[in-house]
Amino acid sequence: MSSSSKTTAAPAGKGQPLPYLLTAQQGQAARELLRYVASLPLPGPEPQLLAVVVAIRAARGGVGNLTGADLAGLRLRDPRAAVGALRALGWQLDDAIFLSDPDAPPVPVTVPDLGRREGHPLPMGKHPRSRVSGWTTRLLTAKPVRKLPPAARLAGLFAAAHSTANLHSQLPRHVPKACRAALPDLLDKGFLAELSGDRCRLDPQVRHLSGRVAGPQTRPRPTRTSTFAFCADTWAQWKSAATPALRRHVENVECCTRCAMPVERVAEAFLVPYGPQPVHTEAEIAHGYWKAAHPERGRQAAAYTVAFRAEHGHGPSYRQLGKGLGWALNRQARGLAVGGLLADGWLTATGTVPWTLRPGPAAQAQGITLPQARSAPPAAVSIPA
């Protein structure tokens, strides 16, 4: 996708940049707020924008206060329809909310889902709630966005909340479609300095609104822990019950002098396959930067599996693939990277069997294949029932 950018210079005579409104932890709370609202079955950006304001007011205990001036300040095209959409979810907002008299008392609003003691979708203390609420108000009234349609202002919340301290942002998958379509408006109005697909950069003038997501190089790599207890008899029994093709594959890995892995490590990989894990926003950001920096990642990864298999007699693991190609990614981001190459057909693997990465259909169409595949289809590896 083509990218857009503009250059902005700091206005002459201006002082130091405004301090951040949120700490990194409060930025995470803001992102959870937006994720929660995006998960609600609401019909469009107007009720979604209203839901952001109501939810953060009622985040502690399920009850908050809203004024008619607050609703009027959102400049919704059809505020009654937006309120009706929230009421359809069971949220309680009195008709007094439509009175825009600045002297009118606040109207209590109730969100039953946020009054739960167990499984609360927005657990946060009093101070973080107040700071995120203030951040929301400041952003929606910021000069570059305050006159934009609700979809663009909601997009501004997502872009800022998912921005690193150096202003780079990778938008997550749950951003509403209407918000994605409104991103060019943020670029035109100077809220964004750059925009390329789901990646963007805040303009320095709104730096203080950043959610301060940890950058791709600042998040510590998680330590891998396991309760696996190796038993030689169990491992031998498992191999004896495996199909001949799978057993040959296992032995290739066990006996690989290039990898020289302990048998306990090999056994754990086959006996305790790792399932899908929740993906942190930081990993998604790191993955986005990596994709932009590696336009030829598909061809390179497929070719590497061919060379690796020629030396080792088996395919690389995700970690070996990343290390061999110099990818500076943590485990989660690396999983996203390899998963994308598998989905795009550059790589393929035999189910969840480890060390089976090899060129996929997209790579084969460009002549990147295993030597035996050039004359006959390779034997499939199957797992015993």
Side-chain angles (χ1 to χ4, degrees):
M1 182 178 293
S2 61
S3 62
S4 301
S5 66
K6 64 183 184 64
T7 303
T8 57
K14 293 292 183 180
Q16 294 297 319
L18 294 174
Y20 291 111
L21 294 181
L22 302 176
T23 65
Q25 291 74 20
Q26 292 161 359
Q28 178 60 30
R31 292 188 288 277
E32 290 301 323
L33 167 66
L34 295 173
R35 179 185 288 273
Y36 169 69
V37 170
S39 72
L40 299 173
L42 292 170
E46 291 209 347
Q48 287 172 329
L49 186 62
L50 177 58
V52 170
V53 176
V54 173
I56 193 57
R57 300 285 181 92
R60 283 178 55 81
V63 179
N65 290 318
L66 203 67
T67 66
D70 291 328
L71 178 61
L74 292 178
R75 298 174 48 252
L76 304 180
R77 180 182 58 83
D78 192 346
R80 290 187 177 274
V83 170
L86 298 190
R87 286 173 173 170
L89 300 181
W91 296 21
Q92 300 167 23
L93 295 89
D94 190 87
D95 279 349
I97 196 68
F98 298 115
L99 300 177
S100 58
D101 182 354
D103 296 325
V107 179
V109 293
T110 303
V111 183
D113 195 39
L114 299 180
R116 293 183 294 169
R117 290 183 177 272
E118 301 293 334
H120 196 293
L122 292 176
M124 63 178 72
K126 180 179 180 180
H127 185 63
R129 189 217 65 79
S130 178
R131 292 299 295 271
V132 174
S133 180
W135 168 82
T136 302
T137 301
R138 289 281 296 277
L139 192 149
L140 294 178
T141 57
K143 185 176 179 180
V145 300
R146 63 190 178 198
K147 293 185 179 181
L148 290 177
R153 282 178 280 151
L154 187 59
L157 287 170
F158 276 100
H162 291 85
S163 169
T164 63
N166 64 2
L167 307 183
H168 291 284
S169 181
Q170 172 73 40
L171 297 179
R173 299 183 183 92
H174 58 263
V175 173
K177 291 182 179 179
C179 294
R180 295 181 186 277
L183 289 171
D185 292 339
L186 298 179
L187 184 70
D188 292 341
K189 292 298 184 180
F191 187 85
L192 297 180
E194 295 179 6
L195 174 63
S196 177
D198 287 343
R199 298 176 63 247
C200 56
R201 184 169 66 86
L202 295 187
D203 192 279
Q205 68 174 316
V206 292
R207 168 185 175 274
H208 60 293
L209 299 173
S210 169
R212 304 175 70 181
V213 177
Q217 302 301 325
T218 60
R219 183 179 178 89
R221 179 172 294 180
T223 302
R224 182 178 179 179
T225 59
S226 174
T227 58
F228 175 74
F230 175 72
C231 174
D233 290 340
T234 300
W235 178 229
Q237 291 173 5
W238 185 89
K239 288 194 293 183
S240 66
T243 63
L246 177 58
R247 189 160 53 250
R248 285 195 300 273
H249 173 63
V250 172
E251 291 172 350
N252 284 342
V253 177
E254 275 189 303
C255 300
C256 179
T257 57
R258 299 298 301 273
C259 293
M261 285 180 287
V263 65
E264 295 86 353
R265 169 70 185 90
V266 177
E268 180 182 7
F270 283 94
L271 296 178
V272 189
Y274 286 85
Q277 299 293 323
V279 177
H280 294 290
T281 301
E282 294 90 337
E284 292 181 335
I285 291 177
H287 178 230
Y289 287 135
W290 171 83
K291 285 178 65 176
H294 296 81
E296 292 296 318
R297 57 190 177 276
R299 291 182 58 85
Q300 292 170 350
Y304 183 82
T305 65
V306 174
F308 187 97
R309 190 175 289 264
E311 294 184 7
H312 295 252
H314 58 81
S317 65
Y318 285 22
R319 182 176 182 275
Q320 289 170 324
L321 177 66
K323 183 178 180 180
L325 291 174
W327 297 347
L329 297 173
N330 64 24
R331 189 178 177 218
Q332 282 196 345
R334 187 169 58 241
L336 290 174
V338 179
L341 295 174
L342 288 166
D344 292 341
W346 284 106
L347 297 177
T348 190
T350 304
T352 59
V353 180
W355 292 289
T356 59
L357 288 175
R358 56 190 184 276
Q364 294 172 20
Q366 297 195 23
I368 306 174
T369 63
L370 298 177
Q372 63 267 32
R374 295 164 190 163
S375 57
V381 176
S382 59
I383 301 177

